[in-house]
Structure formats: C-alpha cells, structure tokens
Amino acid sequence: MAALSPAPECYIQSILDTDLYKLSMQYAVLETYPDVEAKYRFTNRGGTRFTRNMYDAVCRAIKHLDTLLLTSDERAFLSRRCPYFPASYLDYLSSFRFRPDSQVNLVFVPSGDKDSDGTEWGSFDLEVQGKWVETILYEVPLMSIISEAYFTHVDIQWDYVGQFELARQKGLALYTSGCLLSEFGSRRRRTYKAHDIVMRGLVAANAEVSDGGKGKGKLVGTSNVHFAHKYDVVPIGTIAHEMVMGIAALEGYEGSNGRTMDVWEKVYPDGSLGIALTDTFTTKPFFDDFVSNPERARRWRGLRQDSGDPLKFIPVAKEAFERVGADPSQKVVVFSDSLDVDRCVELKKAADAAGIGCSFGVGTFLTNDFRRVQEPVQQEKPGEGPVRTEGEKSKALNMVIKLYSINGQHCVKISDELTKNTGDPEAVALVKRRFGLEEHGGESTWGPTV
C-alpha cells in the first residue's frame, strides 16, 4: 500500500449532507419567524490549535457551499421519505442557496508560533449572521468542514484501515442487544469518507441481523439526509436546542419549552416529529412545562435525553408520562449523549426494567473512532482490513457552533451539567436566576414539580 496522497479538498457535495433536524427547524422558522435575524458562533472547546494551511482549506470549502442546490432526485427522496414536508417547503429548499460571502465571517488568529518548516499556528474566529431561516443550515456543514480539514491538514497520523469492520461489529453488538440505533455522527465526523464507510458497516450489520434473526434491534435510520438518500434508510431527527433558545430569547423564558411545543405542533400537526428535547435550560423547567398541559404532553411520542445522568432520567421520564395519563411503555426516550456500545446496552436494560421504550442516537463514537498510526496507508477500497487495535486513540475535535443571538437578544443553553453552559455569561446568569437553578454537584434539581 502506498503512503497517503496530499490532503484532498474538504468540500460538501450535497445540500442534504446535513442533519434532518436542520431542515425540520428551517421549515418551522420559515412558517413562524421568517424575518428574524440570527447570529451563530463557533467555540473550540478543546482549544485545539489549527494551522493557516487548514484555514485556507476551510475557506475554500466554505466558499464552495454557494454551489450547492437541491437536485430533482433529492427532492423526490424528500417527498417520499419526509411526507411531513409540504410542497411549499420543498419549493423553498429548491430555491435556497448558501451565501457564505455575506453570511460567514472566518478569521485566522495567529498565535505567533511557527515551525521550522514555516507552518503557522493559531485559532479561528467564526461567526454566521443573517436571516435565521437561512443561517440555520450552516452549522452542520461548517462543523463537518472544520473536522475534515483538521484531520487532512493537521492531524494526519491515521487511516481508514478496519473502519468498515469496526462499524459492522458495533452495529452487530447493538442490534443483537435489542437496541434501536440512529446514526447521529454528521457534525464531528472525521471525514465524509469515514462517514460513508460507517454507514456501509451499519447497513451490512443490519442486514445480517435481519436475515439471521439474532435480535430485535435494528438500524432505525440516520440523521444525515444525504446518507439516508444514498442508502435508502429513514432520515431521523426532530428539533434541536436552538429552536427553544431562539423562541425563549424572542418571547420570554418562562414557559418557553411549552411554547416551543405549541409552535412545533402547529407546523407538524400529525405528530410525526413529536420527540421533545428536554435539556435546553436543564430538565426541571422542561418537565414543569410538560406536565402542565397533560393533553399536549400525551400527543408527543417521546423525549430526547442529551445531558446529565441518563439513568436518573429514566424514572423521571416515566413519572412524567404517568402524571399526564400516558402509558410509558408506548412512549420512547431517545438517548443521545456521548454513547458507546456498553452505555447503550446498559441504558436499554434500565429502560426495559422501568417499562419505558428507548432508542439511541450515536454519533462521534461511530464516525470519529480512530487510532493514531505511524505510517498511514492508502487503500484501494478505504475501510477494508482488520480492525486496528494498537495505538492511542486519535481524538475528535471538541467544538460547537451555537446560536448566539436572535434579533440582538442573547441566546443561552444551560445543560443538566450546570457548569457546561453556552452563551453570554451575563445572560446565562440571568436565565439561571430566572429558573431558580442551583448547582448541586454539577447537576440540576431533577424531576417535574406539580
């Protein structure tokens, strides 16, 4: 095998190479807040250093976004797989174009360090600004671009050897344990190619389990609409934190979770996207809103748990469903926070014991699970070969792009780990006081109050 070739361009090739919840929220914003202005900001939580060469590659890839458009084949796929999108939205998406020259501002901030070969190190300042309905689609492709540029220009001591078999083994372990899996790895994937290899492995494992009858688990789908199209699986996704954050900043924090649920039901009245996200301002304010309107709560199919202790979340969710008169066994908790195979199996057993349904959205563990190698190799068919077991882990970037403001009003997110907050510090402190949040060992007070 030959040495790896020079770094490729990290271009996004399809407008559908994004997560479904970006499209579902875009339609909701189009219907309810079409003229609202938004600003997003990038945060490099891990403090990883970047290079100017990487920056140049990211700039080229961002510029390339303005070439993307919805093809007729992609539109036909959305019509078939996403019947909750009306023709009017598909018309809008068909006419949509990214405008990075006017909406994206990326600056390289030199640290003053240079290697002997002239490599210049630094960091990025990145903002996206414009109409919310337009800027909402930038987050996923931008994060994918940054990750791929880093792993093809800076950290290049890795390769694809064994990635197919690794994904296949993970899929088999999850499916034979009865887990319902959704692939959630778009934003922090190593590269597009890595994502594609993982999808092939998960689909292959799913076929094995389906043919062999080894368990009740399966691949439910993927959050990435492009790969859902490529492999003809279900695109998975509903709503993200930014919808609640934006509505709260625009219309007030008290009752903002319930107000977001009301907006969502007006846009998607058939309930097909009825999975509520519970931790925008910690879990307790969500459950206060949730149980306050039992009729509305019963209409929602389930809840997504994305921070805090999932084992504590299970009895809280069960209690909430029972309080509103719903059968927990007919509802679902979607776990999506830092999952691996062992954690999914543990949570599956706990949910089964509690008598509540569950499924799993697994991301970085699937699409960015690599080991460092001294001599990376290029394969004729990337991903083939035995799973690599030697070498230290090659870590994914720890980064986010979050909604920063709406119509000039700061937006915040307060996780169930109260020290992990997003947004302007003064705004975060204000919202914490407004909700009466107290820090107890890094977690919020759990449970609905009625």
Side-chain angles (χ1 to χ4, degrees), residues 420-441:
K420 294 183 179 179
N421 306 312
T422 299
D424 176 78
E426 291 186 6
V428 168
L430 176 63
V431 174
K432 280 187 176 182
R433 290 195 298 270
R434 192 166 294 175
F435 282 120
L437 299 175
E438 297 178 358
E439 297 186 20
H440 297 287

Side-chain angles (χ1 to χ4, degrees), residues 233-369:
V233 298
V234 178
I236 300 292
T238 55
I239 193 169
H241 298 106
E242 68 182 276
M243 196 78 194
V244 188
M245 292 164 63
I247 289 175
L250 286 170
E251 302 188 21
Y253 284 85
E254 289 80 2
S256 54
N257 286 286
R259 193 152 47 248
T260 303
M261 294 173 76
D262 291 339
V263 167
W264 203 250
E265 286 190 317
K266 288 179 181 177
V267 177
Y268 300 104
D270 66 353
S272 56
L273 300 183
I275 301 293
L277 187 55
T278 61
D279 67 331
T280 306
F281 307 119
T282 74
T283 304
K284 185 178 182 301
F286 169 82
F287 279 115
D288 288 343
D289 282 4
F290 188 73
V291 301
S292 71
N293 188 331
E295 183 178 351
R296 179 183 64 199
R298 288 193 295 269
R299 291 193 295 266
W300 284 67
R301 188 162 57 91
L303 308 170
R304 181 155 73 92
Q305 189 273 337
D306 198 49
S307 67
D309 187 338
L311 291 173
K312 290 182 178 180
F313 184 88
I314 291 170
V316 173
K318 180 180 180 180
E319 178 191 359
F321 281 125
E322 290 175 340
R323 288 194 185 189
V324 300
D327 180 356
S329 68
Q330 301 304 305
K331 301 296 183 179
V332 63
V333 173
V334 180
F335 297 100
S336 62
D337 181 28
S338 303
L339 300 177
D340 57 20
V341 170
D342 290 343
R343 190 61 157 163
C344 289
V345 173
E346 176 189 23
L347 294 174
K348 174 71 165 60
K349 292 177 180 178
D352 287 350
I356 192 168
C358 66
S359 68
F360 303 90
V362 184
T364 308
F365 173 69
L366 293 174
T367 60
N368 208 329
D369 185 8

Side-chain angles (χ1 to χ4, degrees), residues 39-311:
K39 180 184 291 186
Y40 292 78
R41 283 188 177 175
F42 168 76
T43 301
N44 182 359
R45 286 176 168 170
T48 307
R49 296 197 307 163
F50 302 146
T51 66
R52 188 172 289 278
N53 284 344
M54 174 190 166
Y55 165 78
D56 292 339
V58 171
C59 287
R60 291 192 296 271
I62 291 175
K63 171 61 179 173
H64 183 262
L65 292 174
D66 66 14
T67 69
L68 301 181
L69 53 83
L70 188 72
T71 68
S72 58
D73 190 43
E74 289 172 333
R75 176 170 178 148
F77 171 77
L78 291 176
S79 295
R80 177 168 61 89
R81 283 292 196 177
C82 307
Y84 38 81
F85 288 147
S88 60
Y89 173 64
L90 298 184
D91 289 342
Y92 174 84
L93 190 59
S94 296
S95 66
F96 177 86
R97 300 291 184 274
F98 286 104
R99 294 185 287 115
D101 285 348
S102 60
Q103 294 175 326
V104 180
N105 183 32
L106 175 65
V107 177
F108 183 73
V109 183
S111 63
D113 298 329
K114 277 191 178 182
D115 292 345
S116 58
D117 62 1
T119 299
E120 185 178 10
W121 295 89
S123 59
F124 291 175
D125 280 345
L126 173 61
E127 282 192 352
V128 180
Q129 189 165 3
K131 296 289 187 185
W132 192 13
V133 72
E134 297 174 355
T135 56
I136 200 168
L137 288 194
Y138 277 100
E139 176 195 356
V140 176
L142 287 179
M143 290 186 67
S144 299
I145 287 168
I146 291 169
S147 183
E148 181 151 354
Y150 178 75
F151 286 109
T152 53
H153 290 76
V154 182
D155 182 351
I156 58 174
Q157 296 302 123
W158 60 273
D159 58 28
Y160 295 107
V161 173
Q163 281 289 307
F164 173 83
E165 179 61 20
L166 181 61
R168 175 184 164 276
Q169 289 180 11
K170 290 174 179 178
L172 287 175
L174 290 167
Y175 308 149
T176 55
S177 298
C179 295
L180 301 177
L181 171 67
S182 297
E183 184 279 313
F184 273 18
S186 298
R187 295 183 305 157
R188 295 182 183 88
R189 69 191 185 196
R190 180 140 303 204
T191 63
Y192 173 91
K193 188 179 295 183
H195 200 166
D196 194 28
I197 294 167
V198 165
M199 284 301 302
R200 286 198 291 110
L202 296 177
V203 169
N206 192 64
E208 288 184 51
V209 171
S210 298
D211 292 343
K214 298 177 183 177
K216 296 181 181 179
K218 64 178 181 179
L219 178 64
V220 177
T222 172
S223 63
N224 187 285
V225 189
H226 165 70
F227 284 115
H229 182 204
K230 182 172 183 177
Y231 291 98
D232 196 23
V233 298
V234 178
I236 300 292
T238 55
I239 193 169
H241 298 106
E242 68 182 276
M243 196 78 194
V244 188
M245 292 164 63
I247 289 175
L250 286 170
E251 302 188 21
Y253 284 85
E254 289 80 2
S256 54
N257 286 286
R259 193 152 47 248
T260 303
M261 294 173 76
D262 291 339
V263 167
W264 203 250
E265 286 190 317
K266 288 179 181 177
V267 177
Y268 300 104
D270 66 353
S272 56
L273 300 183
I275 301 293
L277 187 55
T278 61
D279 67 331
T280 306
F281 307 119
T282 74
T283 304
K284 185 178 182 301
F286 169 82
F287 279 115
D288 288 343
D289 282 4
F290 188 73
V291 301
S292 71
N293 188 331
E295 183 178 351
R296 179 183 64 199
R298 288 193 295 269
R299 291 193 295 266
W300 284 67
R301 188 162 57 91
L303 308 170
R304 181 155 73 92
Q305 189 273 337
D306 198 49
S307 67
D309 187 338
L311 291 173

